[in-house]
């Protein structure tokens, strides 16, 4: 029979207490005991959590074991039979490779790129190999899209640190893994030489047009294209299921990403126009306050950036007042 979550919660508290006291050996013993119990009860999320903790404490003792542990974790991911768990584990494996690259980035960037084969030893990998490996794992993590879109994220709550509103805007495992893909790809920008300058004004277009947009194939392997492709998948999904909180959250993230990364001289104006359009489109839905908040924040940020008084603080105040009045 499966022990209740509370039973494992108490044991994980003990693990953290031992870690705080800087007793990794004792913490590792407790993790091994949890792993044994979780396996006997076929409690997969707890087995995954114990595997991650075991890696953490082993690496604290001996950082040089990282390449071997990452490969072992990848084998663990590949051998898992549950499709949803496999997707989550592929995403976690991608993150481990990305973090390893970040730790060793300086020396890895000095190596001449290898394009015709992948060395067995991770310590010989070049930046393009790390990028390809991570992007392949992240793509695989989203492949069973339809199934992931039907999987409630709360199934894996023991593995997640979530904010109060995250379930509303990331209700499924597909959402969770898509946003992880975006974050991990952005952390790997230093591993990719191809960069899309995002100079097409069409990228700021209405979300229903954006989802069908063909991205510039000259930059197909760029971080920018892969990130925008992920936003297209997220927005298409929530347009179909009409989940307005999740849809607006995804589109606000997409527009903020474009504002920060586009090399267009008028990207700020395009961003503000897109927010105004979104605000009008969802004017009667209470979730539009998130769009209004983004507009207010834009004006507040500009107030601090510009020396001349443009009365932007007053604009921000008026937008917030209107949101409160209406909802």
């Amino acid at each position: 029979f499966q022990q209740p979550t509370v039973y494992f919660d108490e044991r994980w508290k003990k693990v953290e207490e031992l870690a705080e006291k800087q007793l990794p050996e004792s913490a590792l013993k407790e993790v091994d005991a949890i792993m044994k119990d979780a396996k006997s009860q076929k409690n997969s999320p707890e087995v995954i959590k114990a595997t991650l903790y075991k890696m953490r404490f082993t690496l604290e003792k001996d950082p040089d074991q990282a390449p071997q542990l990452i490969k072992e974790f990848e084998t663990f991911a590949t051998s898992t039979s549950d499709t949803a768990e496999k997707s989550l584990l592929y995403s976690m494996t991608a993150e481990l490779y990305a973090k390893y690259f970040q730790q060793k980035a300086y020396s890895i960037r000095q190596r001449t790129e290898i394009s015709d084969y992948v060395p067995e030893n991770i310590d010989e990998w070049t930046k393009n190999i790390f990028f390809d490996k991570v992007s392949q794992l992240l793509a695989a993590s989203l492949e069973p899209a339809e199934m992931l879109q039907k999987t409630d994220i709360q199934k894996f709550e023991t593995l997640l640190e979530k904010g109060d509103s995250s379930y509303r805007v990331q209700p499924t495992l597909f959402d969770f893994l898509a946003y992880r893909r975006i974050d991990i790809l952005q952390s790997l920008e230093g591993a990719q030489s191809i960069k899309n300058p995002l100079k097409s004004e069409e990228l700021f277009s209405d979300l229903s047009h954006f989802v069908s947009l063909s991205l510039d194939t000259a930059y197909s392997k760029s971080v920018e294209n892969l990130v925008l492709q992920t936003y297209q998948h997220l927005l298409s999904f929530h347009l179909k299921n009409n989940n307005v909180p999740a849809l607006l959250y995804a589109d606000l993230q997409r527009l903020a990403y474009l504002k920060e990364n586009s090399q267009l001289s008028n990207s700020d104006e395009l961003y503000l126009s897109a927010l105004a359009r979104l605000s009008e489109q969802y004017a009667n839905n209470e979730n539009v306050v998130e769009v209004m908040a983004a507009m207010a924040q834009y004006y507040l940020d500009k107030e601090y950036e510009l020396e001349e008084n443009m009365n932007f603080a007053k604009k921000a105040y008026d937008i917030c007042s209107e949101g409160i009045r209406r909802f």
Side-chain angles (χ1 to χ4, degrees):
F1 100 107
Q2 245 190 37
Q3 291 282 4
T5 308
V6 178
Y7 165 80
F8 283 108
D9 283 349
E10 291 303 315
R11 294 181 71 178
W12 285 119
K13 279 179 194 167
K14 185 181 174 184
V15 170
E16 287 297 354
E17 282 166 14
L18 291 166
E20 280 172 26
K21 291 175 185 170
Q22 297 191 321
L23 298 167
E25 292 278 2
S26 304
L28 203 47
K29 279 183 186 171
E30 184 61 27
V31 169
D32 283 333
I34 292 172
M35 172 106 64
K36 190 178 174 186
D37 280 2
K39 279 182 175 175
S40 70
Q41 294 172 34
K42 295 185 169 57
N43 188 328
S44 313
E46 295 294 347
V47 171
I48 295 169
K49 188 171 183 175
T51 306
L52 289 168
Y53 267 79
K54 190 166 184 175
M55 282 186 72
R56 171 184 154 186
F57 293 125
T58 306
L59 287 173
E60 280 179 16
K61 281 168 54 191
D62 184 4
D64 292 338
Q65 287 199 48
Q68 183 57 36
L69 287 171
I70 295 170
K71 287 206 164 185
E72 284 174 16
F73 194 83
E74 187 174 4
T75 304
F76 173 51
T78 309
S79 62
T80 303
S81 56
D82 183 286
T83 311
E85 284 170 18
K86 191 188 285 286
S87 286
L88 183 59
L89 289 167
Y90 278 153
S91 179
M92 289 176 169
T93 310
E95 185 179 24
L96 292 171
Y97 276 115
K99 283 186 172 175
Y100 185 75
F101 171 81
Q102 288 166 332
Q103 286 165 3
K104 308 273 185 180
Y106 180 77
S107 57
I108 293 169
R109 285 201 197 105
Q110 311 305 311
R111 298 171 195 159
T112 306
E113 288 196 7
I114 301 169
S115 56
D116 49 351
Y117 79 105
V118 177
E120 183 67 27
N121 186 352
I122 294 178
D123 289 329
E124 294 173 21
W125 285 14
T126 53
K127 65 177 188 175
N128 61 306
I129 295 174
F130 275 100
F131 187 81
D132 289 346
K133 182 68 171 176
V134 172
S135 51
Q136 283 159 15
L137 283 164
L138 291 172
S141 76
L142 288 179
E143 262 172 27
E146 204 170 309
M147 183 276 298
L148 296 172
Q149 288 166 0
K150 292 174 184 169
T151 305
D152 192 316
I153 190 58
Q154 290 184 318
K155 180 185 174 185
F156 297 97
E157 64 181 344
T158 187
L159 291 166
L160 313 176
E161 286 180 26
K162 299 191 296 173
D164 293 339
S165 63
S166 59
Y167 182 67
R168 285 178 69 246
V169 296
Q170 296 184 33
T172 71
L173 187 55
F174 180 81
D175 292 278
F176 179 73
L177 293 177
Y179 286 110
R180 273 181 63 85
R181 185 190 191 203
I182 289 165
D183 289 343
I184 294 167
L185 282 169
Q186 287 185 268
S187 76
L188 260 200
E189 279 176 327
Q192 179 55 286
S193 307
I194 304 165
K195 185 169 176 63
N196 185 342
L198 304 174
K199 283 191 167 183
S200 166
E201 292 192 3
E202 230 183 339
L203 294 171
F204 286 88
S205 61
D206 174 82
L207 63 91
S208 54
H209 178 66
F210 170 75
V211 295
S212 58
L213 213 57
S214 295
L215 301 174
D216 194 329
T217 52
Y219 305 104
S220 58
K221 283 189 77 175
S222 69
V223 168
E224 293 78 19
N225 275 42
L226 295 172
V227 166
L228 290 179
Q229 178 194 79
T230 313
Y231 280 124
Q232 286 181 321
H233 296 329
L234 277 165
L235 291 165
S236 294
F237 169 42
H238 291 304
L239 272 171
K240 280 179 195 164
N241 71 0
N242 200 29
N243 182 332
V244 178
L247 180 69
L248 289 179
Y249 178 78
D251 208 35
L252 287 172
Q253 300 290 314
R254 184 256 306 196
L255 293 170
Y257 176 78
L258 287 168
K259 181 170 80 74
E260 291 303 313
N261 294 279
S262 171
Q263 290 180 27
L264 284 164
S265 59
N266 60 337
S267 61
D268 272 26
E269 289 86 346
L270 289 165
Y271 172 72
L272 205 52
S273 296
L275 290 183
R277 205 166 48 235
L278 208 52
S279 180
E280 194 177 325
Q281 190 178 350
Y282 290 92
N284 297 322
N285 189 298
E286 64 179 18
N287 294 283
V288 79
V289 294
E290 299 294 345
V291 183
M292 298 172 84
M295 292 172 82
Q297 190 61 58
Y298 171 84
Y299 284 120
L300 278 180
D301 291 344
K302 283 293 169 196
E303 176 81 6
Y304 293 115
E305 283 175 31
L306 300 170
E307 286 183 22
E308 65 268 30
N309 181 9
M310 302 288 285
N311 222 6
F312 281 167
K314 174 74 166 61
K315 281 192 176 185
Y317 175 84
D318 289 343
I319 291 168
C320 293
S321 298
E322 175 65 9
I324 292 166
R325 186 188 67 74
R326 282 166 54 195
F327 300 104

